[in-house]
Amino acid sequence: MRISVIGAGYVGLVAAACLAKLGHAITLVDIDEAKLKQIAGGISPIHEPGLDEILSQVSVETTSDYERIGGSDLILICVGTPCNQDGAMSLEYIEKAARQVSRVLRLKANYCVVAVRSTVVPGTTEELVIPILEQSGKKVGRDFGVCMEPEFLQEGKAVYNYMNPSRIIIGQLDERSGDVLAELYKHVKAPVIRTSIRTAEMIKLASNAFLGARISLINEIGNMCKALGIDTYEVAKGVGLDDRIGSKFLNSGIGFGGSCLPKDLRALIARSRQIGYEPEILERVLKLNDGQALRMVELLKTHVSLKGATIGILGLAFKPGTDDVRDCGAIKIVEALLDGGAAVRAYDPAAMDNFRKLFPQIGYAGPDEVLESDAVLIVTEWEEFEHLDYTGKIVIDGRRVSKAREARIYEGVCW
Ligand code: UGA
């Protein structure tokens, strides 16, 4: 199939690379020429296992010129939907992309399908995207089709997730639109579910709401366990064996970060308020999450006075396997440490360059030097942290790194 992917960010780049690997002819459109050049050279601009390898094997046409996508059978809109100040989703990039696609549709002779793959709040595709596409003078359902297909990729596992999906959700305007997308997934073993467009939009946000709620709930249990002298990981193991609950996503710690869960929950809350419904559970989920990382600093203060101390940080990325520091717990922790008068020395195997852009004033060093600090906080559970020597150290662990228990003073945030 001739497929155009709009947006060479996380979602678009992984889709473009994997679809090319599956044998489709891909045109990847972005405004960032430098990024496109890198991709054309077979190098991924993001740290994602397996992506460089695929990019070096396949041929993806990269361009900033929308005229090049005129021959597409399928156009995937994969641009970012960041948060506004008030928590609502910013639809600026979606709107811009839809306008560009609309210009392409105006000149297009054959039927094609436009699929929104960006995460959007329910109603966006029908109320914003379709009206813009129809400004082309073409009629939706007759001249072109529309779908909303949410993505469920996890950073650090995105290529694997793309090739081995848990489910495919096709939110379709009509059968004809859905058939074009379904053709892409003929080979997939996972369930392929066809829904209305706004149901698909909601499935994505509801999935992230469940994941976020689950993490905040286990953290709440963990905070209680800590105070009661109970090991929350043993509790989670016992609870997770109930197959109605399941054992995944029950790791208590410093809470969830990244570019998706916090943003998507905020967006869903904002959308809910727009329709006059106060989403009480989701608000509490976010509130608990906002305070969770700072519990590490409170624990630290029971052992070390911050003023004049040097505090080491092991791990900056919002989770292992990525260089992404968006909405990561380390941001709140470092801010609190600096506010308290401490000097900070940090190490992360992948995310130091990104974190340095946010905090150029702190020190960056190798793990051994970080361990020389007055106390150390483990903020991301990189596997290599299981091989460090913690003997004699003061360690506050936000992520359950077993080896760190050998420290002179060891405290887990929830255990
Ligand atoms: C999340 C979802 O898991 C994906 O399904 C979804 O497609 C994606 O958002 C998205 O909307 O695009 P991701 O942001 O990559 O994926 O990260 P997760 O693996 O979900 O982790 C999120 C955060 O939760 C991390 O900070 C992680 O450390 C934390 N977490 C996760 C916990 O604190 N405990 C757990 O048990 C699991």
Side-chain angles (χ1 to χ4, degrees):
M1 209 182 288
R2 288 165 303 174
I3 304 171
S4 296
V5 179
I6 316 294
Y10 194 75
V11 175
L13 181 56
V14 173
C18 292
L19 287 168
K21 172 107 179 148
L22 292 169
H24 300 284
I26 306 297
T27 304
L28 179 61
V29 188
D30 201 284
I31 45 170
D32 186 337
E33 300 271 4
K35 197 194 262 185
L36 291 179
K37 208 169 156 199
Q38 209 179 336
I39 296 166
I43 297 167
S44 166
I46 52 171
H47 176 94
E48 192 58 47
L51 196 51
D52 276 330
E53 197 188 327
I54 299 186
L55 285 174
S56 65
Q57 292 164 354
V58 299
S59 147
V60 170
E61 183 191 2
T62 56
T63 180
S64 55
D65 178 4
Y66 276 82
E67 281 184 19
R68 303 269 286 279
I69 70 171
S72 316
D73 306 307
L74 175 63
I75 299 173
L76 305 177
I77 298 183
C78 303
V79 294
T81 48
C83 238
N84 281 329
Q85 289 282 333
D86 61 355
M89 202 168 252
S90 163
L91 298 172
E92 183 194 342
Y93 301 121
I94 287 274
E95 206 174 319
K96 279 190 185 147
R99 284 194 199 293
Q100 296 283 6
V101 173
S102 180
R103 283 189 199 113
V104 173
L105 289 180
R106 187 187 300 270
L107 306 169
K108 209 163 158 41
N110 64 321
Y111 176 88
C112 82
V113 168
V114 182
V116 174
R117 297 226 58 202
S118 309
T119 299
V120 291
V121 289
T124 308
T125 305
E126 285 162 320
E127 291 159 25
L128 179 78
V129 177
I130 292 179
I132 295 174
L133 296 180
E134 284 199 312
Q135 285 170 12
S136 61
K138 298 286 170 69
K139 180 92 191 87
V140 71
R142 185 192 66 198
D143 305 318
F144 67 96
V146 171
C147 286
M148 194 280 152
E149 193 216 332
E151 57 82 21
F152 301 104
L153 309 178
Q154 272 181 284
E155 288 194 26
K157 291 187 197 160
V159 170
Y160 177 82
N161 290 156
Y162 197 94
M163 294 303 197
N164 303 277
S166 55
R167 74 285 207 196
I168 301 292
I169 307 293
I170 299 178
Q172 58 187 28
L173 173 88
D174 51 20
E175 282 294 313
R176 189 181 178 198
S177 307
D179 286 349
V180 173
L181 263 188
E183 179 67 23
L184 276 190
Y185 300 110
K186 271 192 321 202
H187 65 285
V188 160
K189 290 196 189 78
V192 177
I193 295 173
R194 306 249 198 143
T195 69
S196 73
I197 286 178
R198 56 180 63 212
T199 304
E201 291 168 332
M202 191 55 155
I203 287 173
K204 165 70 192 195
L205 289 175
S207 299
N208 280 355
F210 264 91
L211 295 173
R214 199 170 158 90
I215 296 169
S216 276
L217 183 55
I218 197 64
N219 283 338
E220 183 149 276
I221 302 283
N223 294 341
M224 286 185 230
C225 285
K226 174 84 184 166
L228 292 166
I230 299 168
D231 183 343
T232 172
Y233 274 67
E234 280 183 29
V235 173
K237 192 173 172 195
V239 169
L241 287 170
D242 182 330
D243 62 10
R244 292 170 303 174
I245 298 173
S247 59
K248 292 185 183 157
F249 260 67
L250 284 183
N251 294 331
S252 53
I254 65 156
F256 54 84
S259 65
C260 305
L261 297 192
K263 165 185 85 81
D264 290 356
L265 264 66
R266 277 184 217 123
L268 190 54
I269 289 171
R271 179 70 177 132
S272 181
R273 286 194 182 131
Q274 271 175 8
I275 53 166
Y277 180 78
E278 202 58 31
E280 293 179 37
I281 294 181
L282 291 184
E283 279 167 19
R284 302 304 299 179
V285 165
L286 271 188
K287 189 161 187 290
L288 194 132
N289 193 60
D290 284 344
Q292 195 66 18
L294 293 176
R295 294 180 74 88
M296 284 187 86
V297 180
E298 292 310 310
L299 274 175
L300 173 70
K301 286 202 268 188
T302 64
H303 299 285
V304 178
S305 157
L306 292 188
K307 205 161 178 54
T310 298
I311 307 300
I313 306 272
L314 287 174
L316 299 167
F318 81 99
K319 64 174 188 178
T322 175
D323 60 354
D324 198 337
V325 297
R326 284 175 288 177
D327 250 321
C328 67
I331 294 177
K332 290 178 213 157
I333 290 170
V334 169
E335 273 168 359
L337 294 175
L338 295 176
D339 283 352
V344 177
R345 192 186 283 160
Y347 168 73
D348 187 286
M352 287 201 284
D353 285 347
N354 284 338
F355 205 78
R356 196 181 273 116
K357 289 177 201 149
L358 304 176
F359 290 95
Q361 71 274 43
I362 67 166
Y364 295 88
D368 294 335
E369 208 182 316
V370 167
L371 278 167
E372 293 303 313
S373 310
D374 296 315
V376 173
L377 306 183
I378 303 179
V379 179
T380 317
E381 68 278 33
W382 287 98
E383 210 276 326
E384 65 179 70
F385 297 164
E386 285 289 1
H387 307 286
L388 299 177
D389 181 5
Y390 298 92
T391 39
K393 314 292 177 196
I394 301 176
V395 175
I396 311 294
D397 185 2
R399 297 296 194 173
R400 193 80 170 188
V401 171
S402 325
K403 179 83 178 340
R405 285 171 183 275
E406 70 187 20
R408 179 168 62 83
I409 296 177
Y410 173 86
E411 286 235 36
V413 67
C414 295
W415 54 94

